[in-house]
Amino acid sequence: MIRLIDIASVIMGQSPKSSTYNEEGKGLPFYQGKAEFGENCPTPVKWCSKPGKIAEKGDVLISVRAPVGPTNICQEKSCIGRGLAAVRPLGGMPTQYLRYWLSTKHHELEIKSTGTTFKAISGDTLRNLEINLHPLPEQKRIVAKIESLFSRLDSAKDSLERVRQEIKRYRQSVLKSAFDNLKQEKSIENVFQIIDYRGRTPPFANSGIVHLRTANIRNGQIRLENIRYVTEETYKKYMTRGIPRKGDVLMTTEAPMGEVSLIPDYKFSIAQRMVLLRSDNFDKFVMYQIMSTFFQKRLERAKTGTTVAGISSRNFKKVSFKFCSLEEQAKIVEKIESRFERAKVLENAVEQGLEKIERLKKSILKKAFEGKLVEADSNDEPVEILLERIKKEKAKLKPSR
């Protein structure tokens, strides 16, 4: 067992002055945190003309602050902010070996993170992580084996992702066929009462009444993830425009626009950037029509703004809406839900497959660093020689540091 600091350089990021940031490509790429990470390498959106802490090509970038643990590989000399650390392998160790090993430490790092608003790990915590070090030739065999197995799993994942996209397209084709033949149209204002909740953001509490934001509404459903709360007093103050009731349809008006859901069966508060559509005769019929591509295009044409594009009440109420008799509505909703139910069964199978792939990847990494993935070879250069080489390399680094 050996500490990370004994086999690698660990450079904790530091945010340079904001006046040195730019989006014109002047200076070094500047990575602030996990937000710029991709599948393997980060993509720059900002640059820095006067960088402080620098990561070199081939360094492992690890997120050390909200969230803790995700990794990427640095593709070029870059500036790193305080949300990242750069781990630089020494002694000729493969970059991917360290990255794969750090991936197995995700849970441990989360446990060791501190902070109330943002969880973070210190430089000492990262430097003192212990690794069961393998001989250099074995490290290379481990990396080759992992990448061979991961390649097959990624191929399976790509296939499942394509199926998921097909399901999405299938749902849209169902909605298209459901509404295509309807000829009667009226503007929104002639069909619904529009209750607009746009305005100030309420103060949040640690518990109390669930507060729904635009991020909580996706694909016709309420997602209770990263939920916020408001007190009873705040609820009464900010919900004066109308209390939601069963049958109302909740729709987002920006960031993102056009996400929709039926009202959930519990008391909740609503954020700005949302409207309620109220009518005695419509509910699911409304929701499915708003979810359709043709209606989304109508919303797009009516939106305004550049920085945060959205749709105003004035524009929204003029958007035309297809309608029909209540009897025909019921038949349309029944057909949609019958087909959506079949799609849901397949979608669940896809999700289970994707989850299994992630579990297999974790299992492969666990076996790799327990010495169970590839055979050890008595002819391999001993670990002691690698450590001696790293020791000499670190000694040369000290004067320049």
Side-chain angles (χ1 to χ4, degrees), residues 280-292:
D280 294 330
N281 301 323
F282 302 87
D283 48 15
K284 289 183 179 180
F285 181 78
V286 180
M287 181 180 74
Y288 289 131
Q289 187 169 160
I290 292 174
M291 288 170 63
S292 67

Side-chain angles (χ1 to χ4, degrees), residues 166-234:
E166 287 298 326
I167 294 171
K168 189 175 180 180
R169 283 190 283 269
Y170 170 73
R171 283 200 173 101
Q172 280 302 324
S173 71
V174 168
L175 294 175
K176 184 176 186 298
S177 63
F179 297 106
D180 261 3
N181 295 326
L182 299 182
K183 304 303 179 186
Q184 290 180 295
E185 295 195 21
K186 285 185 180 180
S187 61
I188 292 285
E189 64 181 341
N190 291 327
V191 182
F192 304 104
Q193 176 189 353
I194 302 171
I195 304 174
D196 194 337
Y197 284 93
R198 280 172 291 192
R200 299 169 296 163
T201 302
F204 298 122
N206 293 326
S207 61
I209 299 169
V210 170
H211 178 79
L212 296 179
R213 298 172 293 155
T214 55
N216 299 122
I217 304 174
R218 288 293 184 276
N219 302 317
Q221 296 181 337
I222 300 290
R223 300 191 312 180
L224 296 180
E225 299 170 7
N226 301 315
I227 208 69
R228 298 282 181 87
Y229 300 92
V230 297
T231 62
E232 182 71 34
E233 183 181 359
T234 299

Side-chain angles (χ1 to χ4, degrees), residues 31 36-38 40-44 61 72-75:
Y31 302 120
E36 292 102 340
F37 279 11
N40 293 297
C41 307
T43 300
L61 299 178
N72 257 204
I73 302 295
C74 189
Q75 289 293 90

Side-chain angles (χ1 to χ4, degrees), residues 58-292:
D59 287 356
V60 181
L61 299 178
I62 180 167
S63 178
V64 295
R65 185 173 185 265
V68 170
T71 60
N72 257 204
I73 302 295
C74 189
Q75 289 293 90
E76 58 186 320
K77 188 174 183 177
S78 305
C79 173
I80 54 173
R82 62 177 178 166
L84 296 177
V87 180
R88 188 171 303 153
L90 302 174
M93 292 175 58
T95 295
Q96 286 288 21
Y97 178 80
L98 271 189
R99 186 193 178 190
Y100 288 137
W101 169 71
L102 282 168
S103 297
T104 68
K105 296 293 181 179
H106 198 149
H107 182 61
E108 181 181 338
L109 289 172
E110 282 185 334
I111 292 173
K112 291 181 176 179
S113 62
T114 57
T116 51
T117 307
F118 297 107
K119 293 290 184 182
I121 54 168
S122 67
D124 284 342
T125 298
L126 188 58
R127 294 183 189 100
N128 288 304
L129 285 177
E130 289 192 329
I131 178 173
N132 187 7
L133 193 65
H134 298 90
L136 189 58
E138 188 176 343
Q139 291 182 26
K140 294 176 181 178
R141 292 198 299 275
I142 287 171
V143 169
K145 186 65 174 179
I146 290 173
E147 292 187 341
S148 172
L149 294 172
F150 275 21
S151 177
R152 291 161 63 185
L153 289 174
D154 287 340
S155 178
K157 183 179 178 180
D158 289 343
S159 296
L160 289 173
E161 291 289 358
R162 285 194 294 271
V163 173
R164 185 151 67 177
Q165 290 303 312
E166 287 298 326
I167 294 171
K168 189 175 180 180
R169 283 190 283 269
Y170 170 73
R171 283 200 173 101
Q172 280 302 324
S173 71
V174 168
L175 294 175
K176 184 176 186 298
S177 63
F179 297 106
D180 261 3
N181 295 326
L182 299 182
K183 304 303 179 186
Q184 290 180 295
E185 295 195 21
K186 285 185 180 180
S187 61
I188 292 285
E189 64 181 341
N190 291 327
V191 182
F192 304 104
Q193 176 189 353
I194 302 171
I195 304 174
D196 194 337
Y197 284 93
R198 280 172 291 192
R200 299 169 296 163
T201 302
F204 298 122
N206 293 326
S207 61
I209 299 169
V210 170
H211 178 79
L212 296 179
R213 298 172 293 155
T214 55
N216 299 122
I217 304 174
R218 288 293 184 276
N219 302 317
Q221 296 181 337
I222 300 290
R223 300 191 312 180
L224 296 180
E225 299 170 7
N226 301 315
I227 208 69
R228 298 282 181 87
Y229 300 92
V230 297
T231 62
E232 182 71 34
E233 183 181 359
T234 299
Y235 177 81
K236 291 177 181 177
K237 180 179 178 180
Y238 281 80
M239 294 295 290
T240 54
R241 296 176 184 176
I243 302 299
R245 69 187 190 193
K246 186 177 180 180
D248 290 348
V249 175
L250 187 61
M251 193 194 89
T252 63
T253 57
E254 61 182 70
M257 182 179 68
E259 293 289 348
V260 65
S261 170
L262 295 181
I263 293 302
D265 58 355
Y266 50 82
K267 189 176 182 180
F268 64 94
S269 166
I270 302 176
Q272 74 282 24
R273 302 193 295 271
M274 291 194 193
V275 294
L276 277 181
L277 303 179
R278 178 170 293 172
S279 171
D280 294 330
N281 301 323
F282 302 87
D283 48 15
K284 289 183 179 180
F285 181 78
V286 180
M287 181 180 74
Y288 289 131
Q289 187 169 160
I290 292 174
M291 288 170 63
S292 67

Side-chain angles (χ1 to χ4, degrees), residues 261-385:
S261 170
L262 295 181
I263 293 302
D265 58 355
Y266 50 82
K267 189 176 182 180
F268 64 94
S269 166
I270 302 176
Q272 74 282 24
R273 302 193 295 271
M274 291 194 193
V275 294
L276 277 181
L277 303 179
R278 178 170 293 172
S279 171
D280 294 330
N281 301 323
F282 302 87
D283 48 15
K284 289 183 179 180
F285 181 78
V286 180
M287 181 180 74
Y288 289 131
Q289 187 169 160
I290 292 174
M291 288 170 63
S292 67
T293 300
F294 84 86
F295 196 85
Q296 290 288 319
K297 288 179 179 177
R298 291 180 178 184
L299 292 179
E300 281 291 322
R301 288 195 294 268
K303 75 179 181 181
T304 57
T306 53
T307 307
V308 181
I311 187 167
S312 66
S313 293
R314 183 178 61 184
N315 287 1
F316 178 59
K317 65 184 182 181
K318 300 297 182 184
V319 174
S320 60
F321 179 85
K322 292 187 176 184
F323 72 102
C324 55
S325 68
L326 293 178
E327 184 181 358
E328 194 173 356
Q329 284 181 42
K331 289 179 180 178
I332 288 172
V333 168
E334 184 181 359
K335 286 181 180 179
I336 290 172
E337 295 192 333
S338 172
R339 286 158 176 76
F340 274 23
E341 188 60 35
R342 295 177 210 166
K344 186 64 179 176
V345 172
L346 182 56
E347 192 172 52
N348 288 340
V350 168
E351 294 302 325
Q352 289 169 12
L354 291 170
E355 288 171 7
K356 186 175 181 180
I357 286 171
E358 292 308 309
R359 288 197 301 271
L360 284 170
K361 284 189 172 184
K362 289 178 181 178
S363 174
I364 289 167
L365 292 175
K366 185 173 183 291
K367 288 182 177 180
F369 293 98
E370 288 175 347
K372 299 176 182 177
L373 192 65
V374 300
E375 293 292 330
D377 189 334
S378 58
N379 295 317
D380 284 346
E381 172 191 272
V383 168
E384 288 77 14
I385 294 178

